[in-house]
Each structure stands twice: as structure tokens, then as C-alpha cells.
Amino acid sequence: MTREKPKNLWLSRWGFILAATGSAVGLGNIWKFPYITGEYGGGAFVLMYLACILAIGIPVMMTEIAIGRRGRGSPIDAISRVVKESGGSQLWKAVGGMAMLAGFMILCFYVVVAGWAFAYTVKMLDGSLAATSVEALGGVFEAHNANPWQLGGWSVLVALLTLWIVAKGVQKGIENAVRWMMPGLAVMLLILVGYAFTSGGFSAGFDFLFSFDASKITGEALLAALGHAFFTLSLASGAILTYGSYLPDGQSVARTTFVVAICDTCVALLAGLAIFPIIFANGMSPSAGPGLIFMSLPLAFQQMPFGTAFGVLFFAMVSIAALTSAISMIEATVAYLNEKYGVSRFKAAAASGAVLLVISLLAMLSFNLMSGWTPMGKNFFDWLDYLTSRWMMPLGGIFIVLLAGYSLRSDIMRDELNLPPLAYALWLFMVRYVCPVLIMVVFLHALGWLMFDPVAQWYWIAGAVGLLAVLGELLRPRVVLALAGR
Ligand code: PHE
């Protein structure tokens, strides 16, 4: 069977890396990572997160890029093609559908957070962040959210900008924006880390991030770390798979994956090193929740020389980082509508934008008019985040690795990944055994169905993976192929 011809390709050799890094590096690194690390108590969470990136995030990202490139299309179309090529069931398309839905749901709350970053860029300038205590800055943040017009206006602006860039097409908009944004953001973060170093809270912040306390490993925290690994690498949400579908043949999937994952992790750790020292130096609690960076960083900017200029630049960079991520969340849907129904990218963006505006409105109202509506203790904004990060993305991840590990014809992934034999064997081992078992264990643990003490659990997991690997290799040819009807 001949391979699908690509319709769109990245323009430059760096196009994919830039765009995928632009997608991965976003509010997840600068806003979410610090605040959930604060909520789950620091070092142990950071370690779990790093382990999830290494053991699950990287193999899953390689898989998604390879499937995207092989199938050359939106998640649904790409999966449909690779499955067809392998003679498997078209039901696998549902995995692509769920990923697209997850990307869309994330965008619905992401525009609100990105709106905060945009608003704070302006607030840095107009003096509304002149308050000199964390409490007062917390008040500014709350007042901003209490006003639906203000909060909504910024979020709608972000949504419209995102749709506009996506409508214009892949290459120019996305590639150009990330080319200078990424280095700029890294420099800004280094400056902030430098400031944090002098703030008097550096060692407290450093310890919080990197000192390991086994008692903080809980099922809930593990699920959060796993979900965040997916979120921060833009996995199981259609973004990376669709970007992968524009990757020219001949570029190394593994190398690009490592570059993106390393950049993403560095930005998150730098953000943590910039933020926690300031928090501890000012007697603020690290578990302040989603407002954490908006209440702490302006204080640092006020105290440093040229602080206003740095502050404006910083929030502007965060806004752009958020935009390059937001674009990738809806790219899959636009690519799908474009391919499936033949509508122009512009119309596809307009149609998805209409739905986006309605649903994200509910997320904006969660902070003011609808703040009393909290079914099962979560408002609408929290529900979107919770459902996608904790459930949809890890589940999507399991199915993607099962698809690649068991259902696809083995030469497909081998060709696309084009790795030395040992590296390929390692990838295969990870997607067949380690990733599915780890994700399942984390799920079962979070549901309270698996309980073991924090240290012994690693023996259990290693044992389960080993046993499954042996059994799987012995039985696989017969059982799995029989199930797949081949
Ligand atoms: N990775 C992005 C971030 O860290 C969020 C994202 C999730 C982007 C899913 C695309 C798809 O901010």
C-alpha cells in the first residue's frame, strides 16, 4: 500500500521542533506545574512527574508522532489509515476522537488562564499590581475574576486570536511565533531565577522542589503527576499527533521527541525555581492554588530594578507561550473538519470557535456568576481540567500504546521510528508493558482499589511488568493475533 501523501509540511527543518515545543511549553509549565507541585507538597511530586515523563511521556510522544506521520492526517484520519494498513479494527478511530475532544475541552478552560496572563501584561503597565503584599495581590486577582466582563473579555480575546492564527494556516503563524518566543522565555525565566536566588527564600524553595518525602506519594498525587505529564507534553489531545502528521519523512522521531521533552521539563523546573523562593521569602503558602503565580511574581517584579519592564516582558512571553499551546489544541479539530468535510480552514475554525466560545463562557463564569455551581465540589473550570488531565489523557495514552504495541503491523512503527535495534526493542517494551501497566496501576490506585505502601509499590509494579512481559511474549502471537482476527 502506498503511503498517504502529506498535504501540509513544516517549512523548515526546525519547524516541527519549534511548533511541538511551542505546544508543549505553555501554561502547563509556568502556571500549572508550580501550583500543583505546591498542592501536592513538593519534591515527591516533582520526582513522580519526572518519572512519568521518562517512562510514559517520551514513549507515548514517539508513538503519537510516528502514527501521525504515517497516517498523515487529523487523529481520527491518521489512526484510521494506519489501522487499515494493518488490517485492524476501525474502532480504534474512537481513540483519535477522544483525543480531539480532550484537546477541545482543555482549550475551553485554557483560554481563561491565558486571559489572566494577557491581562497581567497590561496590569503590570497600568500600576494595578502596585500592591506590596501577597494578600493584596491576591485581592487584585480575586477582583479581576469577580468581574465577568473583565475576565470574559480577556478570555474571548485569547479565543479569537487562537482561531485567527489557526485559520491562517499552520506554517507561517505557528512557526514564526515560536522561533523567537522560546529563547526569550528561557532568558526571562533565568532572570527571575537569578532574582529568586537573592530573595532570601532560595534554599527553602529549592528544598521544597527537590527534597524527597516518601510519605507524600499518594495515589491521588501519582494520578496528578501522570495527568500532568500528559498535559505538559500535549499528549493524548490530538496536538502532537496532528503536528507529527506534518513532519517530513526522514526526520528522526526519537530525536525530536527528546528535544521537545527536555525543553519542556527545563522550563517547568526553571519556573518552579523562580516561583517557590519568592513564595517562601514572602511567607506565602505554596498551596494557594491556580492564582499562585499571579499573586507571587508581581511582588518580585516590584522589588527588582527595571521590574516593570521585566514584568511586562515576562507576562507577554507567558501569553505567547499560552497562544502557541492553544493553537495546537484546536489544530486537530480544524484539520479533521477540513479533511473530512472539505470546508476551508477558515470555516472550520469559525465553526469550532462558536462551540468554543459557548463552553468557555461557562468556564469564565465559574469564577463569578456561577461560582456557586459546584457539582461534587468542583466548579465547571475545575471539571474540565479534572476530566481531561486525570482521566481522558491517561486513558487515551493507554489506548495509543496498545494500538502501537499490539495492533499495528510491526513494520509500520519500525519504519517510522527507524531506530537502532536495541532502542527499538526498548521502545516496544515500554509501549507493550511498562506504559499500560503503570497507567493502569495509577488508575487503580487512585480509585482506591490497589493499596500498598509507597516504597513496596515499586516492587509490585516492577514485578507486574516483568510477569506480563514474559507471559505476553509467550502468549502474544496466539491470543492477541486471534483477537485481532489475524
Ligand atoms: N502542553 C501545554 C502546556 O503545558 C498544554 C496543552 C495540552 C497543549 C494539550 C496542547 C494539548 O501548557
Side-chain angles (χ1 to χ4, degrees), residues 20-32 102-104 106-107 110 228-240 264 321-322 324-330 393:
T21 310
S23 168
V25 174
L27 297 166
N29 309 62
I30 302 161
W31 161 75
K32 199 173 184 194
F104 196 83
I106 292 171
L107 185 57
Y110 207 81
H228 188 62
F230 278 96
F231 184 87
T232 192
L233 292 178
S234 311
L235 300 176
S237 56
I240 289 295
D264 187 75
T324 55
S325 299
I327 295 162
S328 71
M329 291 169 201
I330 204 167
M393 291 202 274

Side-chain angles (χ1 to χ4, degrees), residues 248-445:
D249 292 326
Q251 286 196 21
S252 159
V253 171
R255 196 167 324 131
T256 45
T257 298
F258 275 97
V259 174
V260 175
I262 289 171
C263 288
D264 187 75
T265 308
C266 288
V267 173
L269 294 178
L270 278 179
L273 276 181
I275 289 159
F276 287 111
I278 298 171
I279 285 169
F280 289 114
N282 291 287
M284 182 181 176
S285 157
S287 55
L292 187 69
I293 68 163
F294 298 100
M295 302 176 195
S296 57
L297 290 182
L299 209 57
F301 290 124
Q302 272 167 37
Q303 291 161 6
M304 63 171 78
F306 307 109
T308 308
F310 280 138
V312 173
L313 263 177
F314 176 79
F315 282 114
M317 294 279 177
V318 175
S319 306
I320 296 169
L323 257 188
T324 55
S325 299
I327 295 162
S328 71
M329 291 169 201
I330 204 167
E331 174 62 25
T333 306
V334 170
Y336 175 72
L337 295 176
N338 176 257
E339 177 162 346
K340 171 102 184 173
Y341 300 104
V343 290
S344 67
R345 285 184 66 92
F346 185 83
K347 284 198 187 129
S352 18
V355 183
L356 168 70
L357 284 176
V358 175
I359 302 179
S360 58
L361 192 69
L362 296 177
M364 297 162 211
L365 296 181
S366 304
F367 289 92
N368 35 66
L369 301 181
M370 277 169 52
S371 60
W373 191 64
T374 52
M376 304 208 276
K378 289 187 188 357
N379 64 26
F380 191 76
F381 176 98
D382 294 334
W383 269 111
L384 288 173
D385 184 11
Y386 176 79
L387 283 178
T388 49
S389 279
R390 301 294 171 89
W391 300 99
M392 294 170 81
M393 291 202 274
L395 262 183
I398 289 201
F399 284 118
I400 274 283
V401 290
L402 291 181
L403 169 66
Y406 294 100
S407 181
L408 292 186
R409 228 173 53 207
S410 58
D411 60 307
I412 294 186
M413 292 306 281
R414 196 174 311 136
D415 286 355
E416 287 304 319
L417 293 173
N418 195 14
L419 290 167
L422 208 62
Y424 176 73
L426 179 63
W427 169 83
L428 197 60
F429 182 75
M430 298 304 279
V431 298
R432 275 195 189 154
Y433 307 111
V434 179
C435 298
V437 169
L438 276 180
I439 301 176
M440 274 320 289
V441 166
V442 172
F443 268 136
L444 295 178
H445 197 171

Side-chain angles (χ1 to χ4, degrees), residues 23-47:
S23 168
V25 174
L27 297 166
N29 309 62
I30 302 161
W31 161 75
K32 199 173 184 194
F33 172 73
Y35 103 74
I36 52 178
T37 301
E39 279 182 351
Y40 288 104
F45 180 82
V46 175
L47 201 72

